[in-house]
Structure formats: C-alpha cells, structure tokens
Amino acid sequence: MRTNTTRQRALADETAIGTMCNLASPLGAETLGQCGYDFIVLDLQHGENGIDGVQVLMQALSTTPATPLVRVTANSAIQIQRVLDLGAYGVIVPFINNRQEAEEIVKNAFYPPLGSRSWGPTRAMMYAGNDYFAGSSQEIIALPMLESADGLANAKEILEVDGISGCFVGPTDLNISLGHTPDGPLASDTEEGIAEILKITQDLGKIAAIHAISIEDAKKRSEQGFRLITVAADTRLLRLGAQQTLSALRA
Ligand code: 3PY
Ligand code: MG
C-alpha cells in the first residue's frame, strides 16, 4: 500500500508542513501540492468545498507528492467513510469532546478488528493499492480536533483511544471556548491548554498537530514540538501574495 509519508514524517519526529484548501478548485489544490507541501487538508468544515466536489480535488492532488487529508464537517459516520473511500489518507474531525466521540471516529475510519468501516474503497484502492484492506489501518490517520474546554479537559481519555493517531488542535476555537475572542494573540490559558495537550500527545507517542496562522506561528509550533502543522489556507495565501505584489508595485 502507498505509504502515508506525512504520518511517517510526523512519527519520525520531523515536522510535516501543509495548508488548507477552502476553495473548491482542483487547479488550486494541484498547484499547492506541486509546491512541495507534505500534505494538503481539503476542508469541508469551512469554505466552499462539499462532499460532491472533494473527490476531484483528491484526484488533482494525486499528481503531486502531497498526502490528501480531509477535515470533515462533523463526526459523521457517512462522511468519514465516504471521504476515505474517495482516497483521503486521513480524517480530521472537529470538536471532539470525549472518549466516546473518539471511539466513533475509530469505528468509522478503520476496518475490523480496529473499527467497523464498511467495505467499498471505490477510489481509495486505486490510489493506495490492492492491499488496502490489510494496510489502511496502518497508513490512514484519524485526528480528533481538540478545540473546546471539554476537549481540553478530556484530552487524555480522547488520545488514549486505540486507533486515534494523535490530535489536531484548533487554537482559535479553543480560545473562544475558553471565553476569549478570535482576534489578537491567544490568551495565556489557551496557550497553557495547548501545551498540556501537546505533552499528553507526546507522552503517548502520538501525532501532535495544530493550525498556524503565519510563518512565525508555524515556526513556534514546530519548535514547541508539534509535528503536523497547517499554515494558513489557499484563500489567505492568495490574498497575501496578491497584496504583496500590489503594494510593491504601487509603492
Ligand atoms: C481553529 O483554530 O479552531 C481551527 O479549526 C483551525 O483550523
Ligand atoms: Mg476550529
């Protein structure tokens, strides 16, 4: 089965760098993949992507070395199984708050004996290889998002679930859940919560993932110990590049 190079990198204690696709553009996804990102997260939770179009973005990513990951809209059995059938090599699931919710992810992301995913890897087997049934539990990553006060309080029981590969911290939603606003730097209790989650994840030998809003933020998270980092998103990268070009020419 095709190796999940992003998983491999993160578990080897190297930082995998990716970004998010909020645009429903196959050419956009392909362009980012060709830039050399380790992975690309196709985002169904925010932005304009939907389940019906995400397959084409995964096909576009197939021409690149980037690992295709999908952030689903919610902890939905149908959506997790469908994006995996379409070739996602990992799922990121928003707002996971307790062990039971983490167990649900495992049930839907993996075949028996680990989970109870239904057989039907329509595109996944072409992308991954004919040994998909035997190999997918090893290669696919399942990352619950820890981004609420409950998720923080229950981080250990969530991360201890067998089959959960690690966690993906959503700093902004965590900040909001702890009583702060989405603008400006994160509050000190949010940073303390993030450090706590990181320590629990590292102690379990699992993958610590997080979203970063800037290059500086990503560097800080990598130095802190996070090993899978999304930096910005296609919309933001487009805006930054365009603004930089314009302001240089108009100066
Ligand atoms: C958050 O910061 O809440 C996120 O979900 C980042 O993607
Ligand atoms: Mg979030």
Side-chain angles (χ1 to χ4, degrees):
M1 174 153 161
R2 186 195 290 252
T3 302
N4 185 334
T5 49
T6 293
R7 172 186 175 276
Q8 192 179 44
R9 197 176 173 88
L11 290 176
D13 208 24
E14 291 164 24
T15 304
I17 300 288
T19 191
M20 298 249 188
C21 279
N22 292 122
L23 296 172
S25 165
L27 185 55
E30 189 175 16
T31 304
L32 289 171
Q34 292 289 356
C35 286
Y37 285 96
D38 297 303
F39 66 96
I40 300 288
V41 177
L42 306 176
D43 193 7
L44 297 185
Q45 187 193 18
H46 297 297
E48 63 181 3
N49 276 297
I51 185 78
D52 291 338
V54 77
Q55 170 198 333
V56 188
L57 271 67
M58 283 196 262
Q59 288 170 324
L61 283 179
S62 294
T63 70
T64 83
T67 308
L69 306 180
V70 174
R71 175 161 72 174
V72 292
T73 51
N75 198 1
S76 145
I78 292 171
Q79 211 180 72
I80 290 173
Q81 296 200 26
R82 283 204 64 199
V83 298
L84 291 173
D85 284 350
L86 293 172
Y89 249 41
V91 284
I92 297 167
V93 189
F95 284 101
I96 296 304
N97 292 327
N98 55 51
R99 177 181 26 227
Q100 196 189 344
E101 290 172 5
E103 286 169 352
E104 281 296 310
I105 301 175
V106 174
K107 211 169 90 182
N108 293 308
F110 301 109
Y111 296 118
L114 193 52
S116 54
R117 179 180 164 193
S118 168
W119 180 249
T122 322
R123 178 172 177 272
M125 210 147 94
M126 288 191 282
Y127 175 73
N130 286 336
D131 52 346
Y132 188 77
F133 184 79
S136 59
S137 298
Q138 154 88 8
E139 299 300 338
I140 281 167
I141 51 177
L143 296 173
M145 288 197 75
L146 298 188
E147 52 180 349
S148 67
D150 285 345
L152 170 58
N154 298 324
K156 192 160 184 290
E157 67 169 43
I158 292 169
L159 276 152
E160 278 174 347
V161 170
D162 191 25
I164 288 295
S165 316
C167 69
F168 195 108
V169 177
T172 307
D173 278 320
L174 181 59
N175 204 45
I176 294 171
S177 179
L178 295 179
H180 314 291
T181 56
D183 42 279
L186 297 175
S188 56
D189 57 341
T190 306
E191 282 295 354
E192 283 161 24
I194 291 173
E196 204 180 306
I197 292 169
L198 174 63
K199 171 89 172 57
I200 294 168
T201 313
Q202 287 174 325
D203 287 351
L204 289 165
K206 294 192 172 186
I207 298 170
I210 195 164
H211 183 67
I213 55 169
S214 66
I215 296 169
E216 286 316 307
D217 191 20
K219 279 186 183 166
K220 180 183 90 175
R221 294 306 181 195
S222 181
E223 278 159 23
Q224 195 179 2
F226 284 93
R227 290 294 167 257
L228 193 154
I229 302 174
T230 47
V231 194
D234 50 7
T235 43
R236 187 167 164 77
L237 294 169
L238 185 62
R239 178 190 288 259
L240 287 175
Q243 283 174 335
Q244 206 179 26
T245 305
L246 264 180
S247 60
L249 291 172
R250 285 190 172 147

